[in-house]
Amino acid sequence: MKIVIVDDEPLVRIGLKSAIRWEAAGMEIVGEAADGEEAIKLILERQPDVVMLDIKMPKKDGLEVLQEMKALHVPAKVIILSSFDDFNLVKKAMKLGAADYFHKPSMNVQEIEAVLSKLKEEAESGSEGSHSLSGGSVQSKEDVVRQMVRGSLDGIRQTKLQEGNLYALLFTIKNYTQVAKRYTKDNASILPNTIGNIVSELLSKEPEAEYVQLEDNLYAVLVSHSGTKSVQASFAHVNELVYLISAALKRFVNIDTVFGISEPVQVYHECGQAVMQAQQALARKFYHPNDPIFYAQAHRNGDAEQALEQVNAYIAAMKNGLKDEKYDEFARSLSAWEQFLQQSECMDEKDVRKIYQGLLFYAEGRRGILGRCEPAGRNRGFQRAVGCLSFAVQ
């Protein structure tokens, strides 16, 4: 897999190049650029599979590069590099098609390797036996469904899915870490294999349904209703399937599940949209950990943008509180931000955790600046701030 690094800070580029044994991981850095204009030329010349792209750069920023890549139909996946207080820009980048993002201050080797390995697997899976919608693919049906979840329609005729009232159902296992401890490394495959066998058996008599495992703790069921015009009837059928799957897994494997369900879409090309809706619905378990099922909600863009602007204001206030050593103000801003999140549910767990990590990194950076000569009260305020953030990221 070919990678291009784009960042105007030489130390960031050096750090990324030094962080991973690229060749051993089956990856190669084929170029690096220090600004957006240079980046576009390099991307077109080297045709990388992945671009690690700074969001703030001279000449052209990351958003402009993304927009130009999209206009030029460049297929490379993009990972955004940002500071923790660039949250609004990051969300705009994700809407433009960025695959993921790293906060530069707090990113680590494990995170980088995990994301790149996932993109590498997707690229290799997508490059094998791809054919047109009309068929002729040598891919397995599982690979076809997995690619459909990611937005590709290659080989779709191999599946039982039809157009009309098509839903995406995603589910995870509750308390997965504890459940996984029941199995050793030698028999770790028993759990996903058992889940797959149970769900596949339940769906075997369904005329328009497919199942696939996406990640270690993420499973997908796609179900269509081409012969049912009634959205109410198809929705009732989807809920019946959710109950059957969750009850069977509880009975036979003693695991509890959490489901995210999309709204219905009508054509194959909207399948990726349905999966995204289901993912967004499932992400709300962060705010309601005891609920077993979440449905996609229609959010107005204006409301979402307004919420993100408010989030940026809270992040700026927290950062200023730490910078100006006004720890009581920092604590009030932190409390207000957390309360706002509970009310708006506008950020997922991953984003929230990265903000905490960014604040903690920034706070720890202040430790050397404070020194030992600071008044005891001010140091106590600092220690309280660091302790609060350290607890939050655990």
Side-chain angles (χ1 to χ4, degrees):
M1 185 169 75
K2 298 186 294 183
I3 297 171
V4 161
I5 299 174
V6 183
D7 197 294
D8 62 329
E9 299 180 51
L11 288 178
V12 172
R13 300 199 303 272
I14 292 170
L16 287 170
K17 289 189 293 183
S18 306
I20 297 173
R21 296 172 59 196
W22 296 98
E23 186 175 349
M27 306 176 196
E28 178 188 6
I29 297 175
V30 296
E32 54 184 285
D35 62 64
E37 289 185 358
E38 183 183 354
I40 290 294
K41 295 177 183 177
L42 188 64
I43 291 166
L44 294 176
E45 176 187 336
R46 305 293 169 84
Q47 298 184 1
D49 301 295
V50 175
V51 178
M52 303 181 75
L53 179 64
D54 187 15
I55 205 163
K56 288 183 177 178
M57 295 181 297
K59 297 184 179 179
K60 285 185 179 180
D61 62 26
L63 293 180
E64 291 174 308
V65 172
L66 259 174
Q67 289 169 338
E68 191 160 345
M69 288 176 64
K70 191 172 183 179
L72 294 170
H73 304 289
V74 176
K77 299 291 186 180
V78 174
I79 300 172
I80 290 296
L81 307 175
S82 75
S83 298
F84 75 91
D85 52 350
D86 292 333
F87 185 72
N88 203 28
L89 295 177
V90 167
K91 285 305 167 187
K92 289 180 180 179
M94 299 299 283
K95 287 182 179 179
L96 286 170
D100 212 322
Y101 68 98
F102 297 142
H103 283 146
K104 287 191 285 188
S106 58
M107 64 184 179
N108 55 64
V109 173
Q110 292 75 22
E111 180 185 22
I112 296 170
E113 287 181 337
V115 171
L116 289 175
S117 295
K118 180 180 177 182
L119 293 179
K120 184 172 182 288
E121 290 175 6
E122 290 179 2
E124 290 173 348
S125 176
S127 65
E128 296 174 1
S130 63
H131 288 269
S132 67
L133 189 65
S134 60
S137 172
V138 298
Q139 289 179 292
S140 69
K141 187 164 71 170
E142 184 179 71
D143 285 338
V144 170
V145 176
R146 187 174 288 111
Q147 291 303 312
M148 187 177 182
V149 166
R150 294 168 181 155
S152 170
L153 301 182
D154 293 336
I156 190 63
R157 298 303 184 192
Q158 294 186 53
T159 75
K160 297 190 293 182
L161 298 169
Q162 303 293 326
E163 293 188 328
N165 287 335
L166 194 154
Y167 290 80
L169 290 62
L170 301 188
F171 68 93
T172 61
I173 301 168
K174 290 186 69 173
N175 304 314
Y176 178 72
T177 302
Q178 285 73 22
V179 171
K181 288 179 180 178
R182 303 176 193 170
Y183 306 88
T184 65
K185 290 183 178 180
D186 294 333
N187 62 7
S189 63
I190 291 179
L191 178 60
N193 289 345
T194 302
I195 292 173
N197 290 333
I198 291 172
V199 176
S200 296
E201 179 65 25
L202 291 172
L203 298 180
S204 62
K205 296 181 180 179
E206 291 289 330
E208 300 179 17
E210 298 288 357
Y211 160 83
V212 69
Q213 180 180 355
L214 300 178
E215 298 175 9
D216 282 346
N217 187 27
L218 184 63
Y219 310 85
V221 173
L222 301 179
V223 56
S224 58
H225 306 81
S226 60
T228 305
K229 293 183 179 181
S230 169
V231 173
Q232 185 176 0
S234 62
F235 181 72
H237 177 241
V238 164
N239 279 283
E240 180 183 340
L241 285 180
V242 169
Y243 173 78
L244 287 173
I245 293 170
S246 58
L249 292 177
K250 179 64 175 178
R251 177 183 178 186
F252 293 110
V253 199
N254 191 27
I255 56 177
D256 296 302
T257 52
V258 184
F259 276 81
I261 301 177
S262 74
E263 294 180 335
V265 298
Q266 302 307 318
V267 295
Y268 289 137
H269 288 283
E270 295 176 340
C271 184
Q273 172 187 332
V275 172
M276 186 179 299
Q277 288 179 355
Q279 288 177 318
Q280 292 170 345
L282 189 57
R284 286 170 34 226
K285 72 182 187 296
F286 175 57
Y287 298 96
H288 308 278
N290 296 321
D291 290 357
I293 185 169
F294 297 91
Y295 299 94
Q297 295 179 334
H299 291 288
R300 290 179 298 176
N301 287 335
D303 292 342
E305 290 178 4
Q306 186 176 4
L308 292 182
E309 288 178 3
Q310 185 62 54
V311 165
N312 279 341
Y314 284 125
I315 294 173
M318 289 185 284
K319 184 176 178 181
N320 288 334
L322 293 172
K323 177 183 176 182
D324 299 335
E325 301 170 24
K326 296 179 180 178
Y327 301 115
D328 289 339
E329 290 185 13
F330 164 79
R332 284 193 292 270
S333 298
L334 177 63
S335 178
W337 174 59
E338 291 172 337
Q339 185 176 5
F340 178 76
L341 290 181
Q342 288 288 347
Q343 294 171 348
S344 66
E345 300 182 13
C346 63
M347 298 176 67
D348 62 24
E349 180 177 3
K350 173 187 173 183
D351 292 332
V352 172
R353 183 172 292 276
K354 284 196 173 185
I355 297 302
Y356 276 123
Q357 290 171 337
L359 288 167
L360 179 60
F361 185 90
Y362 186 81
E364 291 284 8
R366 303 291 298 169
R367 189 187 298 275
I369 298 174
L370 284 172
R372 296 182 179 180
C373 60
E374 288 290 329
R378 185 170 294 179
N379 259 317
R380 282 197 297 271
F382 171 77
Q383 296 299 336
R384 284 198 301 272
V386 171
C388 179
L389 292 169
S390 298
F391 176 78
V393 298
Q394 290 176 355

